[in-house]
């Protein structure tokens, strides 16, 4: 069992791969946010095996364009060759016998830079004169207005319009295992093998085939065990291109493991966004219309495959999604700045919009003189209203939006908490209660189809090949059990194989909490199809004179614990293994009638899954220490609904783990830059994440409202706990601060930020 291997330290992560024949790569990275690159001088050292600059690499690769709707595309190069656009951008790769020598040599490479003005904020990017990408007219990398003007009348006639700007900081998903690449080129079959710590092997292969100018089949991408992805490993990075290109050139396998400093500096930033939201209400507090402008700070580049619009667009598409309203318009934009490129990070897009929307709902409740719980209950969709098409055009299958809130309020004893707050306030203490409730996009399949294959061998060993990949979520256990249950055999017979493009069917990999929805359903349908065939062959063995056709097999035969029997005569049995053997091997006593059933036991299914929406509600109570501006979490309840639950311990772990991660987002995580574009947070002393003592007791609960869009009833799970935390804690802190809390419009909820609010007189 994988989980046990991991706990025993027996996982095989990228750094654990055999590397006896490898040379090691270190990258020379820009110390400037924006500069022209001049001459690059290699150190005079016999230890230097090779150096490759951006200009050198041009001969071996094609520039790459991230083409996605709404995006302005331009040529992307894995190594900067004329200008560097952010601190940490790789300009050259140095190859040596050991990683240590490579690092030392990289530090000795002299690069002439001619510094240019850096664009370090959204405002500078929007209005400043410096344009980062020569092919583009300005710094807009993405711009998508939707339903422009659709809400004007409603806003004009509304009883109350609440409007507020919110800021969400730049953060890093911080997987414990940093990224890494090991690349080989085999001259005999002219193929690349690229081991990379990624969430999406097939998409990496597609991009590499374009950049390296070879067929997809000339590249094998393998994802070893991955020690956390959280979205960060869901895109193509420069190192994934440079290593295979250089491995071919040098005729030697190459390895590179990212260090924490590189990771924090250049390995994928996320979430930075400014949101300007308006909501129109009638006199009773009914939400009528919403208008949103979401501006993402994309950093220097649009990354493959999602592009610069990832955060603002994902947030905008489902903004105010849990609340009934008639009209909505939004604009999602992303701008280039001289900072590290933005990538995905758990809760992508929605963690920001949920924070902003939930803050806005509290501000509205205050102005409408309604309790925040009442305002939400009034506007959340009821279970009976589904299916719903939102004003933004999203189809919500089923949900328990209001119900989860009611359960969370009940579980947290909301009335009791309010009483406690009254007492606390009488004593002059700063005690606050926050709510958050939202729905969550999951199972998104924007890149086309996902595949799953099941192949049963002649001895009855089952292998399931999938296109999604685990980065620690426990796929092996869940899918092994799922296939075994669908086939009616022991899970011990099933092996799950993922993350190898030579064996696994094509698919987009794991992101957007999509694996159970996509792979889960595909494995189940493929296993069912195989089960019918297994039953039919079992029927041939059990009842050779009275053949049961395939279409009747499921009714007339049973399989349980690997034993097949006739419904009408349950004592006669044949084993699953005997069927597997007959399907593959010639049996002289009993030839398989090929006119009735094909030999072999293999089945592959592909599907492009519809988006499904999970939902969650959270309640938190906090108390702020007025002297230190620190707050403590007194109570934190999250109720999630991810549809049918297949494996409850995995789902529990996802919810709690997600909440711990969201706590980091809410309280600490902030990648800071100075005004020259120097990053200030490149170690874990500066970029703070929660440790176990920072994490309060998180009380969780689940509802199971099955999805009608997904055959197995599941919806995505894993990001709801994360999204809940900035919103629910910000609302609790704002509530504790009373009038001063009205101005709480950004996170992290650091002592510094809370102290500033406390100073308001
Ligand atoms: S942030 Mo996730 O891998 O969609």
């Amino acid at each position: 069992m994988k989980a046990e291997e991991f706990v025993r330290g027996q996982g095989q992560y990228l750094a654990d791969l055999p590397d006896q024949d490898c040379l090691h790569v270190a990258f020379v990275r820009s110390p400037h946010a924006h500069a022209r690159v001049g001459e690059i001088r290699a150190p005079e050292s016999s230890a230097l095996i090779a150096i490759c600059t951006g200009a050198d690499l041009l001969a071996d690769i094609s520039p790459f364009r991230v083409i996605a709707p709404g995006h302005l595309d331009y040529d992307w190069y894995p190594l900067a060759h004329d200008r560097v656009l952010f601190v940490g951008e790789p300009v050259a790769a140095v190859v040596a016998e050991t990683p240590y020598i490579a690092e030392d040599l990289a530090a000795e490479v002299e690069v002439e830079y001619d510094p240019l003005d850096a664009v370090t904020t959204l405002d500078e990017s929007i209005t400043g004169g410096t344009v980062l990408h020569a092919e583009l007219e300005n710094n807009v990398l993405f711009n998508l207005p939707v339903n422009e003007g659709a809400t004007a009348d409603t806003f004009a006639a509304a009883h109350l319009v609440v409007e507020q700007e919110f800021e969400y900081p730049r953060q890093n998903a911080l997987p414990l295992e940093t990224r890494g690449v090991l690349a080989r080129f085999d001259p005999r079959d002219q193929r690349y093998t690229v081991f990379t710590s990624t969430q999406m092997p097939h998409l990496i292969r597609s991009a590499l085939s374009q950049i390296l100018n070879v067929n997809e089949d000339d590249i094998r991408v393998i994802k070893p065990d991955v020690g956390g992805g959280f979205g960060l490993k869901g895109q193509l990075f420069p190192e994934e291109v440079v290593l295979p290109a250089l491995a071919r050139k040098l005729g030697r396998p190459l390895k590179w493991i990212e260090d924490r400093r590189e990771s924090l500096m250049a390995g994928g930033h996320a979430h930075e966004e400014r949101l300007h939201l308006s909501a129109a209400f009638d006199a009773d507090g009914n939400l009528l219309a919403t208008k949103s402008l979401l501006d993402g700070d994309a950093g220097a580049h649009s990354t493959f495959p999602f592009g610069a619009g990832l955060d603002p667009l994902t947030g905008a598409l489902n903004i105010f999604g849990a609340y009934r309203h008639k009209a909505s318009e939004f604009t999602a934009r992303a701008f280039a700045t001289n900072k590290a490129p933005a990538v995905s990070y758990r809760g992508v897009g929605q963690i920001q919009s949920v924070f902003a929307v939930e803050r806005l709902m509290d501000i509205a409740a205050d102005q409408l003189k309604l309790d925040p719980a009442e305002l939400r209950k009034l506007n959340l969709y009821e279970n009976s209203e589904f299916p719903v098409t939102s004003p933004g055009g999203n189809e919500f299958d089923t949900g328990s939006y209001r119900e989860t809130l009611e359960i969370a309020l009940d579980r947290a004893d909301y009335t009791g908490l309010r009483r406690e707050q009254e007492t606390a306030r009488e004593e002059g203490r700063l005690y606050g209660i926050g709510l958050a409730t939202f729905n969550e996009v999951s199972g998104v399949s924007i890149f086309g189809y996902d595949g799953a294959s099941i192949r049963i061998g002649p001895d009855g060993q089952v292998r399931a090949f999938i296109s999604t990949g685990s980065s620690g979520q426990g796929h092996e256990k869940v899918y092994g059990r799922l296939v075994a249950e669908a086939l009616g055999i022991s899970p011990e017979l099933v092996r799950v194989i993922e993350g190898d493009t030579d064996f696994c069917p094509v698919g987009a990999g794991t992101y957007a909490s999509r694996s159970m929805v996509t792979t889960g359903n595909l494995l189940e349908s493929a296993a069912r199809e195989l089960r019918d065939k297994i039953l039919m062959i079992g029927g041939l063995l059990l009842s050779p004179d009275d053949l049961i056709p395939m279409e009747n097999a499921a009714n007339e035969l049973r399989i349980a614990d690997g034993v097949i029997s006739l419904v009408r005569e349950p004592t006669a049995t044949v084993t699953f293994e005997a069927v597997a053997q007959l399907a593959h091997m010639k049996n002289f006593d009993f030839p398989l009638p090929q006119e009735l059933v094909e030999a072999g036991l293999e089945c592959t299914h592909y599907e492009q899954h519809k988006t499904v929406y999970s939902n969650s509600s959270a309640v938190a109570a906090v108390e702020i220490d007025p002297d230190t501006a620190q707050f403590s979490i007194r109570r934190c309840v999250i109720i999630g609904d991810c549809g049918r639950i297949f494996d409850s311990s995995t789902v529990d772990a996802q919810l709690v783990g997600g909440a711990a991660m969201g706590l980091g987002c809410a309280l600490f995580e902030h990648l800071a830059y100075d005004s020259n574009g120097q990053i200030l947070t490149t170690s874990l002393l500066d970029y703070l994440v929660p440790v176990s003592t920072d994490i309060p007791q998180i009380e969780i609960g689940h509802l199971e409202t099955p999805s009608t869009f997904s055959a197995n009833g599941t919806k995505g799970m894993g990001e709801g706990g994360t999204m809940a935390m900035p919103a629910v804690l910000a609302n609790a802190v704002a509530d504790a601060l009373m009038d001063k809390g009205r101005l709480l419009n950004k996170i992290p909820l650091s002592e510094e930020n809370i102290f500033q609010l406390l100073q308001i007189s």
Side-chain angles (χ1 to χ4, degrees):
M1 186 73 93
K2 276 276 184 179
E4 197 177 310
E5 271 174 40
F6 291 149
V7 172
R8 291 182 187 281
Q10 292 162 350
Q12 194 178 54
Y13 299 97
L14 203 123
D16 303 318
L17 295 172
D19 61 358
Q20 291 80 354
D21 57 348
C22 284
L23 297 175
H24 296 266
V25 178
F27 286 88
V28 179
R29 294 178 184 276
S30 169
H32 297 284
H34 192 192
R36 217 166 276 293
V37 180
E39 201 190 327
I40 298 178
R41 281 181 296 273
E44 304 266 337
S45 166
S46 57
L48 179 70
I49 294 173
I51 178 166
C52 173
T53 66
D56 299 335
L57 196 64
L58 288 179
D60 302 309
I61 61 155
S62 295
F64 188 59
R65 291 198 163 206
V66 179
I67 297 170
H71 282 79
L72 287 303
D73 51 316
Y74 63 93
D75 285 342
W76 175 82
Y77 298 89
L79 295 177
H81 62 96
D82 55 354
R83 274 182 306 145
V84 284
L85 294 177
F86 64 96
V87 170
E89 179 161 27
V91 290
V94 167
V95 182
E97 284 291 342
T98 72
Y100 314 103
I101 297 172
E103 286 258 352
D104 285 349
L105 291 169
E108 287 172 38
V109 172
E110 285 174 26
V111 184
E112 269 178 19
Y113 291 103
D114 179 12
L116 300 164
D117 282 345
V119 174
T120 61
T121 64
L122 265 178
D123 284 328
E124 284 170 28
S125 179
I126 296 169
T127 58
T130 309
V131 175
L132 269 56
H133 296 287
E135 295 102 314
L136 305 180
E137 282 168 17
N138 50 39
N139 289 322
V140 180
L141 292 180
F142 172 80
N143 185 8
L144 191 70
V146 171
N147 293 339
E148 255 181 316
T151 65
D153 295 347
T154 323
F155 270 93
H159 165 77
L160 172 72
V161 172
V162 185
E163 189 175 347
Q164 177 81 49
E165 195 159 281
F166 299 95
E167 274 174 58
Y168 198 102
R170 193 163 259 261
Q171 303 184 319
N172 178 285
L174 208 100
L176 278 186
E177 184 209 17
T178 53
R179 295 183 303 112
V181 185
L182 193 161
R184 305 176 175 278
F185 180 77
D186 186 340
R188 287 166 304 180
D189 60 6
Q190 294 283 302
R191 288 187 91 214
Y192 296 89
T193 303
V194 182
F195 296 86
T196 179
S197 189
T198 186
Q199 296 171 217
M200 37 181 57
H202 281 100
L203 287 173
I204 299 296
R205 185 181 69 168
S206 297
L208 285 180
S209 93
Q210 288 183 42
I211 300 172
L212 300 172
N213 303 311
V214 294
N215 296 324
E216 292 218 12
D217 194 50
D218 295 330
I219 305 169
R220 177 179 181 187
V221 175
I222 301 175
K223 169 201 90 71
D225 288 336
V226 171
F230 310 112
L232 185 144
K233 294 174 183 171
Q235 32 269 311
L236 177 77
F237 285 92
E239 299 87 354
E240 286 166 314
V241 179
V242 174
L243 264 80
L246 264 183
R248 178 175 197 163
K249 203 170 185 157
L250 300 176
R252 287 288 299 272
L254 297 175
K255 188 179 187 183
W256 164 78
I257 305 288
E258 183 185 57
D259 67 26
R260 187 61 67 191
R261 182 166 172 271
E262 286 178 297
S263 183
L264 283 166
M265 185 166 64
H269 291 183
H271 288 171
E272 185 171 9
E273 193 168 288
R274 184 162 65 198
L275 306 93
H276 194 110
L277 306 189
S278 315
F281 292 88
D282 71 12
D284 297 326
N286 292 300
L287 181 65
L288 304 172
T290 68
K291 191 174 165 178
S292 316
L293 172 65
L294 283 74
D295 283 340
D297 180 334
H301 291 291
S302 219
T303 46
F304 174 83
F306 298 105
L310 174 67
D311 263 315
L313 180 63
T314 311
L317 283 172
N318 189 38
I319 198 156
F320 293 95
Y323 299 107
R324 189 189 307 111
H325 58 293
K326 296 235 159 48
S328 82
E329 61 177 293
F330 67 77
T331 299
R333 305 188 295 186
F335 296 90
T337 58
N338 290 115
K339 295 191 269 191
V343 303
S344 47
Y345 171 7
R346 205 171 192 174
V348 55
Q350 300 172 94
I351 194 165
Q352 303 95 315
S353 57
V354 167
F355 157 70
V357 165
E358 291 304 295
R359 279 297 300 129
L360 198 76
M361 290 305 276
D362 269 21
I363 294 166
D366 186 45
Q367 295 190 20
L368 288 158
K369 310 256 179 298
L370 285 172
D371 184 284
E374 292 314 311
L375 180 66
R376 285 179 174 80
K377 283 194 223 166
L378 183 65
N379 287 293
L380 288 167
Y381 292 112
E382 303 259 14
N383 298 13
S384 58
E385 286 174 75
F386 293 99
V388 162
T389 302
S390 77
N394 297 331
E395 289 178 74
F396 304 147
D397 45 359
T398 58
S400 55
Y401 299 7
R402 183 174 162 161
E403 195 185 353
T404 49
L405 177 65
E406 280 166 351
I407 293 172
L409 291 168
D410 214 42
R411 179 79 76 87
D413 184 18
Y414 186 62
T415 351
L417 289 179
R418 285 286 177 210
R419 269 200 305 273
E420 226 167 295
Q421 179 177 46
E422 226 170 282
T423 316
R425 284 189 175 164
E426 279 162 18
E427 294 166 8
R429 286 152 53 208
L430 302 175
Y431 188 101
I433 300 157
L435 309 179
T437 184
F438 53 91
N439 70 345
E440 175 193 339
V441 176
S442 72
V444 180
S445 296
I446 45 176
F447 301 110
Y449 298 90
D450 282 275
S453 272
I454 300 175
R455 195 185 298 165
I456 302 175
D459 58 353
Q461 297 292 315
V462 180
R463 292 199 290 171
F465 300 87
I466 60 177
S467 63
T468 52
S470 181
S471 34
Q473 303 94 322
H475 285 187
E476 316 77 24
K477 170 183 150 205
V478 170
Y479 295 137
R481 210 191 102 202
L482 188 153
V483 169
E485 281 178 15
L487 288 175
I489 59 168
S490 156
E492 264 126 61
L493 294 176
V494 184
R495 272 179 65 198
V496 176
I497 296 169
E498 52 164 40
D500 185 333
T501 57
D502 266 13
F503 295 106
C504 298
V506 171
T510 294
Y511 64 90
S513 305
R514 66 197 297 277
S515 294
M516 190 57 182
V517 177
T518 55
T519 296
N521 276 310
L522 284 167
L523 283 176
E524 206 160 325
S525 66
R528 291 241 169 90
E529 189 176 320
L530 277 176
R531 187 185 56 189
D532 287 349
K533 187 170 178 181
I534 291 160
L535 288 173
M536 196 226 160
I537 299 172
L540 283 171
L541 284 163
L542 286 167
S543 162
D545 305 324
D546 180 15
L547 289 179
I548 299 164
M550 192 96 79
E551 57 272 23
N552 296 349
N555 289 328
E556 298 193 27
L557 292 142
R558 290 276 174 275
I559 176 166
D561 300 327
V563 175
I564 299 148
S565 58
L566 288 164
V567 172
R568 63 168 193 266
E569 195 193 332
T571 47
T573 61
V574 60
T575 63
F576 166 71
E577 283 82 357
V579 168
Q581 193 176 45
L582 185 61
H584 290 91
M585 310 263 197
K586 191 164 174 68
N587 179 326
F588 292 97
D589 302 330
F590 198 95
L592 193 66
Q594 290 279 324
E595 69 282 6
L596 294 177
V597 57
E598 269 180 46
L601 284 175
E602 293 187 26
C603 181
T604 300
H605 282 185
Y606 282 94
E607 186 189 30
Q608 179 170 22
H609 209 280
K610 233 178 137 117
T611 298
V612 290
Y613 293 83
S614 306
N615 62 275
S616 307
S617 290
V619 178
V622 306
E623 182 162 354
I624 301 173
D625 179 332
D627 297 324
T628 63
Q630 278 180 319
F631 69 90
S632 56
I633 300 170
R634 291 295 159 84
R635 199 77 197 263
C636 182
V637 175
I638 307 176
I639 307 293
D641 187 339
C642 61
R644 179 182 150 228
I645 291 176
F646 180 75
D647 188 284
S648 60
S649 66
T650 302
V651 168
D652 283 353
Q654 284 283 346
L655 192 51
V656 174
M661 199 156 197
L663 186 86
C665 290
L667 263 54
F668 308 120
E669 295 185 35
H670 182 193
L671 290 162
Y673 278 86
D674 74 9
S675 57
N676 297 316
Q678 283 298 330
I679 181 161
L680 305 173
T681 44
T682 58
S683 84
L684 292 176
L685 289 175
D686 309 303
Y687 189 75
L688 301 183
V689 289
V691 296
S692 51
T693 50
D694 294 316
I695 298 166
Q697 185 70 36
I698 295 164
E699 302 162 62
I700 59 167
H702 306 286
L703 293 188
E704 289 187 69
T705 312
S707 168
T708 50
F709 291 169
S710 106
N712 64 12
T714 60
K715 303 171 181 178
M717 151 51 60
E719 300 183 81
T722 317
M723 283 174 216
M725 295 305 266
V728 77
L729 292 177
N731 277 342
V733 167
D735 187 45
L737 294 170
M738 296 178 283
D739 289 349
K740 297 172 179 179
R742 167 73 173 77
L743 297 166
L744 195 164
N745 66 347
K746 65 178 179 192
I747 61 161
L749 303 165
S750 58
E751 290 86 350
E752 186 187 345
N753 285 338
I754 294 175
F755 181 78
Q756 277 171 9
L757 291 170
L758 280 168
Q759 297 316 298
I760 299 166
S761 48

